[in-house]
Amino acid sequence: MKYDKNNIFAKILRGEIPCKKIYEDEFVLAFHDVNPQKKVHALVIPKGEYVNLDDFSSKGSEKEIVGLIKGIGIVAKKLGVSEVVNGKGYRSLVNVGENGGQEVPHLHFHIFGGEKIGKMVS
Ligand code: DGP
């Protein structure tokens, strides 16, 4: 699985393209989706070069994996969609590859919230 250093999220990570940043730490960057599908639609990405969840789960270090999952929790709280914050929760999903409908080849977790998300799969 070869990582394309010129994918759009790699450019965002390098600061070559702007984003509406929500949160950043050693392991993750989170920002608002450019084309929001719900009232709240954010993306959480690892800082490391991982094409997708298959790549990350096999090659990511334990620190990176913990960092990403923790990051998702932090971002959900910051956005006010965490069940701990609003009692209603949100949906997080990851698209992997062609069948998953992945468009950007850098692993990203979507966070949808702020309203009922609806059917899990359409
Ligand atoms: P996916 O289909 O899972 O690969 O989702 C890619 C998402 O990335 C899609 O919801 C739109 C978003 N996106 C694509 N290009 C940009 C960009 O330049 N900036 C931001 N903030 N989001 C982007």
Side-chain angles (χ1 to χ4, degrees):
M1 211 167 290
K2 185 148 170 44
Y3 182 81
D4 170 14
K5 286 181 184 286
N6 283 321
N7 79 75
I8 201 95
F9 292 169
K11 289 181 181 176
I12 286 175
L13 277 169
R14 291 196 295 267
E16 293 166 12
I17 288 180
C19 69
K20 283 206 233 163
K21 193 194 289 187
I22 300 161
Y23 175 74
E24 180 172 16
D25 64 23
E26 185 186 348
F27 298 106
V28 301
L29 176 66
F31 49 91
H32 293 281
D33 195 288
V34 77
N35 182 24
Q37 304 295 312
K38 293 289 169 190
K39 275 189 189 157
V40 173
H41 184 177
L43 301 168
V44 185
I45 70 174
K47 288 201 164 167
E49 296 181 345
Y50 298 102
V51 176
N52 61 31
L53 193 57
D54 290 332
D55 195 21
F56 187 66
S57 60
S58 62
K59 295 194 204 130
S61 70
E62 292 195 6
K63 275 191 169 177
E64 287 175 307
I65 292 169
V66 170
L68 178 56
I69 298 297
K70 291 262 184 203
I72 293 164
I74 292 166
V75 171
K77 282 199 183 122
K78 271 189 95 93
L79 289 168
V81 300
S82 166
E83 206 182 17
V84 177
V85 178
N86 71 1
K88 294 190 183 285
Y90 62 97
R91 178 171 299 156
S92 182
L93 68 80
V94 187
N95 295 320
V96 180
E98 189 186 337
N99 276 7
Q102 182 178 4
E103 289 164 13
V104 180
H106 181 111
L107 171 62
H108 48 284
F109 276 72
H110 293 259
I111 292 180
F112 300 103
E115 60 185 311
K116 278 244 162 93
I117 306 307
K119 264 177 76 172
M120 190 160 77
V121 180
S122 58

